[in-house]
Amino acid sequence: MNTVVMGRMRALGRAELTLLLRNRTALFTAMLMPLLFVFLTRMSVTDEALDATGFSAGGLVLSGGLGIVLVLVVYSNLVASFVARREELLLKRLRTGEPSDGEILGGTALPSVAIGLTQCAVLVVAGVLALDVPAPARLDVLLAGLLLGALMMTALAAATSAFTKSAESAQLTVLPLMMLSLIGSGLMVPLEVMPDGLAAVARLLPLSPVMELVRHGWLGEGGGADVLRALGLSVVWCALAVFAVRRWFRWEPRR
């Protein structure tokens, strides 16, 4: 990626960050909601309840917290951002200039992704230093999971925006994927405590392989075959999400 492209994306990212800082609701969602979810989950999960899974409460909650950040900070926040910029005709105007479609979408997503990944780093450091959770066993696998998760949530946000009429209605259109991820992808409820049939279906949800990579990387569970399976499924979901964006993303309001 050349310096001209990077410069345009940074300019778009700075403009989007300025708008984000002015939006108190979006800022609350991005900065405080993930921490609130992590706190509530930690209050409801005990080590005794997880004896059969082999997880510690701290490890489960903090690794799940990384997924919560991806859902709330990246996915939920970006759906509203894409829709708002579309309804303001900003996306349409940008398309008449030099930036490519990918630069426009990437620049718009840049602040939310950066904030999300920064919060993930803070959670990892806090878990290791303050909550007696072991340091990541395989940092490369953990980073791969987070980067694939950020890419997937960005693309799914852009795809969801195509079916969202206004920034206000984004609060509703994000709910199906958000609830499926929170409940069915192991963020708040380990798949190991679910019935086998339900767990098999839950492992096919978009964020489930990302969470598997996060836990393989941080907690050291699973073997090489498990990591490769999770990587492959994550890449497939990323490809499907990108295809959905190319097929259905809307650059201007419905008339």
Side-chain angles (χ1 to χ4, degrees), residues 140-158:
D140 56 335
V141 176
L142 175 61
L143 289 175
L146 291 177
L147 292 176
L148 284 170
L151 173 61
M152 184 192 304
M153 291 295 102
T154 298
L156 287 174

Side-chain angles (χ1 to χ4, degrees), residues 85-193:
R85 306 304 164 253
R86 182 191 70 205
E87 297 302 306
E88 294 163 355
L89 299 179
L90 178 59
L91 297 181
K92 183 178 181 180
R93 290 197 297 271
L94 287 171
R95 276 192 112 194
T96 63
E98 293 181 356
S100 66
D101 291 353
E103 290 171 37
I104 295 170
L105 296 179
T108 303
L110 193 57
S112 293
V113 172
I115 291 172
L117 293 179
T118 300
Q119 286 189 331
C120 288
V122 170
L123 281 175
V124 173
V125 173
V128 173
L129 296 181
L131 298 178
D132 200 28
V133 176
R138 292 193 59 184
L139 188 58
D140 56 335
V141 176
L142 175 61
L143 289 175
L146 291 177
L147 292 176
L148 284 170
L151 173 61
M152 184 192 304
M153 291 295 102
T154 298
L156 287 174
T160 303
S161 72
F163 307 98
T164 307
K165 293 183 178 180
S166 66
E168 292 75 19
S169 63
Q171 300 176 39
L172 297 177
T173 55
V174 301
L175 284 178
L177 180 61
M178 183 185 297
M179 297 308 296
L180 281 174
S181 298
L182 291 174
I183 297 172
S185 291
L187 276 67
M188 302 180 74
V189 180
L191 301 186
E192 287 75 9
V193 305

Side-chain angles (χ1 to χ4, degrees), residues 42-67:
R42 183 65 184 90
M43 294 295 291
S44 62
V45 174
T46 62
D47 288 317
E48 292 76 12
L50 298 174
D51 283 342
T53 69
F55 294 121
S56 68
L60 175 69
V61 169
L62 287 173
S63 58
L66 302 185

